[in-house]
Amino acid sequence: MAEELDTGRPHPARVYDVLLGGKDNFAADRAAAAEGLRVNPNAATAPLQNRAFLRRTVRYLADQGVRQFLDIGSGLPTSLNVHEVAQQRDASARVVYVDRDPIVLTHGRALLTSTPEGMTNYVDGDLHRVGEILDARELRDTLDLTQPVGVLLFAVLHFIEDGAHPYDIVSRLMAAVPRGSYLVVSHITADYDQEAWGRFAEVMRAQGIATRLRSRDEVARFFDGLELVEPGVVPILRWRPEEPTPFTDAQVALYGGVARKS
C-alpha cells in the first residue's frame, strides 16, 4: 500500500521533482532540496542528466527489441517518460511504473497515458519488498514475464542501505525475468568529489532520506552474472552520449550501466 501522505516530511520522489524544476512537491521537499543545493549546487545538474541517460538507455533497449519495461522508483511523471520514449520506437510497448509515494500514485494513474496499441500501469510498491512488486496484479496484467523485460533502476538504489541487501533485491528482480531481459542502473557516487557529495548525502540523511554513496566497483556488482553492454559501468555522461555536454563527471556524479541476461 502507498505510504500515507505526510507533507511535513520530505520524500525522495518529491525532492527529485524539486531538483528537476517540478511543481508537485511541498514545503518540506523544497526545504530539503534547498539545503542539498546549498552544500552542493551540482545536486540540480545530476537529476537532469539522469533523465538524459534514461532516454538514451530506453531507446537502446527498444532498439534491441525490448517491448516491456519495469521502471522501479519512477518518481513523478517528467517528460519524456519511459513509455513515451519506448513507444516512439514501438507504439505497442508496455510499461509498468513502481513507486510508493501517494502523490506519484495519483499522477501516475492520471497522466501516464499510453498509445492505443501499448499499455502503461502503476504498481504501488516499495523496492524493499520486491516480492510484492513482482506479485502485483497490475504488473501481471501488463507484462508477460516469459518475454524479455527491461528492468530500470534509475537513481533509486542509493536509497537502499547495505543492511537492506540491495544486491539481493536486484538479483531477485533479474531472476524473475527471462533470458534476453536487461538491467539498467544509475547510481550516485562520490568517486569524483568526495567532499561535495558527502555533504549532500549527510544533508539528505539528516532530512530522513537514506543516501548511500557507492563506488564504481560497488555499482558494477549490481550487474554480477549479466553481460555488460559497452562501454560498461561508466559515469552516465560517458554512456553512449548523443551530443557534447558542458558538465563534468564530478558535477553529475552518477554511474550508469546496462547489462543483458543471457
Side-chain angles (χ1 to χ4, degrees):
M1 295 180 62
E3 297 177 347
E4 292 186 7
L5 180 59
D6 182 353
T7 62
R9 293 180 55 201
H11 188 282
R14 299 194 302 266
V15 173
Y16 190 70
D17 181 65
V18 176
L19 295 174
L20 284 170
K23 299 179 180 179
D24 296 302
N25 46 71
F26 299 100
D29 308 305
R30 295 189 288 274
E35 183 63 12
L37 289 168
R38 184 185 67 79
V39 300
N40 186 357
N42 290 321
T45 301
L48 291 169
Q49 292 305 311
N50 188 57
R51 297 299 295 189
F53 177 70
L54 177 155
R55 294 191 291 271
R56 296 197 304 277
T57 53
V58 172
R59 288 189 194 111
Y60 173 82
L61 264 57
D63 289 345
Q64 306 313 302
V66 176
R67 296 295 178 263
Q68 303 186 113
F69 299 85
L70 176 59
D71 182 7
I72 303 178
S74 55
L76 286 147
T78 304
S79 189
L80 291 168
N81 297 290
V82 169
H83 72 282
E84 293 170 312
V85 178
Q87 290 173 356
Q88 286 176 352
R89 290 296 201 258
D90 188 324
S92 68
R94 296 181 169 218
V95 179
V96 170
Y97 294 97
V98 181
D99 213 300
R100 59 186 176 87
D101 178 75
I103 297 294
V104 178
L105 174 63
T106 300
H107 283 273
R109 288 177 173 164
L111 300 179
L112 297 176
T113 55
S114 174
T115 61
E117 301 91 338
M119 183 181 294
T120 62
N121 214 328
Y122 184 94
V123 171
D124 167 18
D126 187 332
L127 194 52
H128 290 88
R129 298 189 293 274
V130 67
E132 294 179 12
I133 294 173
L134 294 170
D135 291 339
R137 177 183 54 79
E138 295 89 345
L139 185 151
R140 298 287 175 165
D141 287 349
T142 308
L143 304 182
D144 177 358
L145 296 186
T146 68
Q147 298 298 315
V149 176
V151 178
L152 312 177
L153 298 171
F154 294 111
V156 65
L157 287 168
H158 46 246
F159 298 127
I160 309 294
E161 300 278 19
D162 292 344
H165 310 294
Y167 298 105
D168 292 343
I169 288 171
V170 174
S171 293
R172 289 185 64 190
L173 285 169
M174 296 311 295
V177 295
R179 293 180 179 179
S181 295
Y182 285 81
L183 171 66
V184 183
V185 170
S186 63
H187 195 297
I188 196 169
T189 185
D191 281 0
Y192 296 91
D193 191 339
Q194 180 70 50
E195 183 178 351
W197 288 101
R199 289 196 305 265
F200 177 80
E202 288 175 6
V203 165
M204 291 299 105
R205 289 193 192 100
Q207 301 284 342
I209 298 174
T211 305
R212 171 66 163 86
L213 305 173
R214 291 189 170 96
S215 68
R216 183 194 174 281
D217 287 347
E218 289 175 312
V219 175
R221 185 180 162 194
F222 287 112
F223 298 100
D224 282 357
L226 306 174
E227 295 180 358
L228 275 166
V229 171
E230 289 294 332
V233 178
V234 294
I236 60 171
L237 295 177
R238 302 175 188 273
W239 200 93
R240 304 190 177 211
E242 296 172 347
E243 56 188 27
T245 174
F247 304 112
T248 67
D249 297 332
Q251 288 176 297
V252 176
L254 288 160
Y255 281 120
V258 177
R260 184 177 185 272
K261 180 177 179 178
S262 59

